[in-house]
Amino acid sequence: MIRRYLLLLSVISIFIFLTGCPEQESTQQLLADLQSPPEEITIKILAAQKLSERLDPEAIPYLIAALADANPQVRQNVADALVVYGVELPEETIPELRDNLASNSDLIRTEIMGILSRIGKPAIPALRKALKSNNTFVKLNSIKILGEIGDKSVIFDLIQTLEETKSEEIQVLCAISLAKLKSPAAIESLQKLLNETRSDDVKIQAIRAIGELESKDSAILLIKQLDDSKVNPGVKVVALESLEKMGIESPELKKSLTALVSSDNDRLRMESIYLLNKLGDKRGLKFLWEDIDEKYQAQAQLAIITLGRTRDSSKETIAALNKALKFENETLRIISAKSLVLCGDDNGKKVLTECLRSCSDTGNKLLAIDYISDLKMKEASPILLELLRSSNDFAMINSILSAIKAMDLKEAVPELKDKYMKLSTQPELKIVIVEVLNTFHTPEAKTVFQELLKYEDDKDRYFHYEINKIIQGW
């Protein structure tokens, strides 16, 4: 009986070894996989995913070190694992994460900020302590993360930090975080900061924070900035954006906007025209029509974009934008095409579609793909899929895949399968294709996943594991 039992155990062990059962790898083996050479992207991703299921505190320093990996997908999966550790093992994880906010590695600091933000409330006590740190990196990053977590219990901690500091960097980040928390308790400190600072960067963040409060008092403060001749035009533009977001409609605002229409600063002038138009006063549009002049391309580009934002369908606006379609500058023609579509003229769609075939500059072709995606132009899908089949350019393929996902082009499933099988040396793009296919949830997509699972049987264990997990989840 014992011999039979031992024999059975031996058979099971051999079976596990031959089939590579993912659950049987030791933590030490997974940590070794996590430190694989740079080209072993999928092995490192798989190791991070399995470590996230294991919750072994021994893995924490190794995961933190892997946040500096050169590959963004590896960093994302490592970050995902550390979020799980931070939620499930906060006492072991969070202090070590917090202390690494002082890391000399920009990548590690950036990733840890995102991790602590995603962990949320369990991280707040450690971050409160970090506000008192003498290390600038730790203090700045803690301020930012507290704003992103969004818990109003830290408002007075941030106000106190703002009032105690003379550092412009800290003032800026305190203002940004207070803006995210949207507390009226912050308005007095923000107004004081706005009045006392000489830094335009600090003023801009203070204005944005005041705008987020969305009160009558905050609107009055912002309109005063518009009327103050000593205030930088760039600062006034931010005040306009905040007022627009707040949805303010008052005689005082219209009066200030009317005065700014004659500003020498193009951006300020056009933002004022746009907001006036939104408030029902279309008199400023004629200045935008006049600004579309090929001799002054920067000014023309701003005017074209602003007209698109107005969604104005008057014959004068359509004529001005169609005029820009004849410009020699290819970028201006593409921008004009999008604005035409936004203003209700389908002529712009023809131009954008044609650009996919004929644009000479790759950057402009990518811009056209982004616009087609934004506008959900499904009529352009045959050419997008043709480009997907023929292109070997990483940026082009990635842009097309993003458009397919944004436009929900389920008819692209066969092309996605074919492209996947041709990308054996580009795992980053294979990951994107898997993500896109996983959004469709159609029988065709499930069939493709089953075909890809067979395809990966003896090729890549990460993709085999990931695709199998998706199929099981469906």
Side-chain angles (χ1 to χ4, degrees):
M1 184 73 178
I2 293 174
R3 284 182 181 179
R4 287 183 184 176
Y5 180 69
L6 290 173
L7 179 62
L8 179 61
L9 282 179
S10 299
V11 171
I12 292 171
S13 299
I14 292 168
F15 176 77
I16 288 171
F17 175 77
L18 291 174
T19 57
C21 181
E23 278 66 39
Q24 299 308 311
E25 292 158 304
S26 69
T27 297
Q28 290 303 319
Q29 178 59 54
L30 293 175
L31 295 178
D33 286 351
L34 194 61
Q35 299 170 81
S36 297
E39 65 273 13
E40 302 289 357
I41 294 168
T42 54
I43 288 177
K44 291 189 280 189
I45 291 174
L46 188 56
Q49 291 184 346
K50 292 180 180 178
L51 285 167
S52 73
E53 298 165 2
R54 194 154 299 191
L55 288 174
D56 188 338
E58 182 187 354
I60 295 170
Y62 293 89
L63 288 166
I64 290 173
L67 291 172
D69 194 275
N71 183 272
Q73 273 96 3
V74 173
R75 295 199 302 272
Q76 180 61 56
N77 279 272
V78 169
D80 290 343
L82 281 166
V83 171
V84 176
Y85 275 66
V87 172
E88 300 292 334
L89 305 171
E91 291 181 8
E92 291 90 342
T93 315
I94 293 174
E96 191 159 356
L97 287 171
R98 179 200 64 204
D99 293 344
N100 273 277
L101 288 171
S103 170
N104 291 326
S105 166
D106 289 341
L107 274 177
I108 289 180
R109 288 201 308 271
T110 302
E111 294 291 348
I112 285 179
M113 285 167 61
I115 292 165
L116 287 168
S117 177
R118 288 164 63 195
I119 289 171
K121 288 186 179 182
I124 288 176
L127 292 169
R128 270 200 176 106
K129 186 176 178 181
L131 288 178
K132 305 297 182 183
S133 173
N134 292 324
N135 184 290
T136 303
F137 282 139
V138 172
K139 194 164 193 168
L140 289 170
N141 292 330
S142 300
I143 292 167
K144 186 171 183 180
I145 298 163
L146 285 169
E148 289 171 352
I149 290 173
D151 190 283
K152 292 185 184 294
S153 68
V154 302
I155 286 170
F156 290 102
D157 299 279
L158 292 172
I159 290 173
Q160 183 180 3
T161 304
L162 174 62
E163 291 178 347
E164 289 176 352
T165 187
K166 297 294 181 185
S167 162
E168 288 183 4
E169 275 189 295
I170 292 175
Q171 289 173 339
V172 165
L173 281 178
C174 281
I176 292 171
S177 289
L178 285 166
K180 291 175 180 175
L181 297 173
K182 298 186 178 184
S183 170
I187 193 164
E188 188 176 332
S189 298
L190 291 168
Q191 183 178 2
K192 182 180 177 184
L193 178 62
L194 189 60
N195 293 336
E196 293 179 355
T197 185
R198 294 184 179 181
S199 164
D200 284 340
D201 287 340
V202 175
K203 281 188 177 180
I204 284 171
Q205 298 305 334
I207 284 171
R208 285 180 176 151
I210 289 167
E212 289 293 339
L213 303 181
E214 297 182 348
S215 67
K216 183 178 178 181
D217 289 339
S218 59
I220 292 170
L221 280 175
L222 295 180
I223 292 171
K224 282 183 179 177
Q225 295 299 305
L226 300 181
D227 297 335
D228 189 340
S229 59
K230 296 177 183 177
V231 174
N232 183 293
V235 176
K236 291 187 178 185
V237 167
V238 176
L240 282 176
E241 291 170 348
S242 294
L243 286 162
E244 180 198 352
K245 188 176 177 183
M246 293 167 68
I248 300 300
E249 298 182 19
S250 69
E252 293 80 10
L253 176 57
K254 284 190 176 182
K255 182 180 177 182
S256 299
L257 292 172
T258 303
L260 292 174
V261 166
S262 58
S263 170
D264 293 333
N265 182 280
D266 286 341
R267 177 80 190 281
L268 180 57
R269 180 164 53 84
M270 292 187 197
E271 286 294 329
S272 301
I273 292 169
Y274 167 72
L275 192 45
L276 267 175
N277 178 75
K278 197 170 180 181
L279 296 175
D281 188 338
K282 296 183 177 291
R283 288 175 295 175
L285 292 179
K286 64 179 181 180
F287 298 111
L288 297 179
W289 305 331
E290 294 167 1
D291 284 337
I292 300 179
D293 186 334
E294 194 167 14
K295 293 178 183 176
Y296 308 102
Q297 293 189 2
Q299 172 186 286
Q301 181 171 323
L302 270 175
I304 291 165
I305 291 170
T306 306
L307 280 173
R309 290 169 63 204
T310 66
R311 307 296 204 272
D312 179 62
S313 59
S314 69
K315 63 180 182 179
E316 293 87 355
T317 290
I318 301 300
L321 291 171
N322 272 299
K323 181 179 77 171
L325 291 182
K326 300 174 183 176
F327 286 176
E328 187 176 338
N329 185 301
E330 192 173 67
T331 304
L332 285 181
R333 295 202 303 271
I334 295 168
I335 296 170
S336 301
K338 180 182 182 182
S339 287
L340 269 171
V341 178
L342 292 173
C343 292
D345 188 334
D346 283 349
N347 190 35
K349 292 184 177 181
K350 297 175 186 175
V351 174
L352 288 172
T353 304
E354 184 57 35
C355 178
L356 295 183
R357 292 194 180 96
S358 61
C359 272
S360 56
D361 181 81
T362 301
N364 283 334
K365 193 168 282 191
L366 291 173
L367 181 64
I369 292 171
D370 286 346
Y371 285 173
I372 286 167
S373 175
D374 291 344
L375 296 165
K376 303 289 191 290
M377 281 177 50
K378 289 200 172 185
E379 55 266 57
S381 60
I383 306 175
L384 279 176
L385 297 182
E386 182 183 320
L387 270 176
L388 179 65
R389 287 190 291 269
S390 62
S391 179
N392 293 313
D393 181 82
F394 183 95
M396 184 72 68
I397 295 170
N398 195 46
S399 184
I400 294 168
L401 292 174
S402 296
I404 288 171
K405 183 178 180 180
M407 295 162 67
D408 195 32
L409 296 181
K410 293 182 174 66
E411 62 268 32
V413 167
E415 280 80 7
L416 292 173
K417 181 192 81 171
D418 292 344
K419 198 67 181 180
Y420 179 98
M421 292 180 173
K422 293 175 182 176
L423 291 171
S424 57
T425 60
Q426 291 183 293
E428 297 95 333
L429 289 175
K430 287 173 68 176
I431 290 170
V432 178
I433 290 175
V434 169
E435 289 173 352
V436 174
L437 282 168
N438 196 27
T439 63
F440 290 155
H441 284 275
T442 62
E444 293 79 10
K446 185 172 183 179
T447 300
V448 164
F449 273 132
Q450 289 166 340
E451 292 174 11
L452 294 180
L453 187 66
K454 292 179 183 177
Y455 172 79
E456 294 290 7
D457 267 346
D458 58 352
K459 292 182 176 64
D460 190 307
R461 64 178 181 143
Y462 162 74
F463 282 105
H464 189 278
Y465 174 81
E466 194 65 24
I467 291 168
N468 188 50
K469 191 166 69 172
I470 289 170
I471 292 172
Q472 296 305 316
W474 280 22

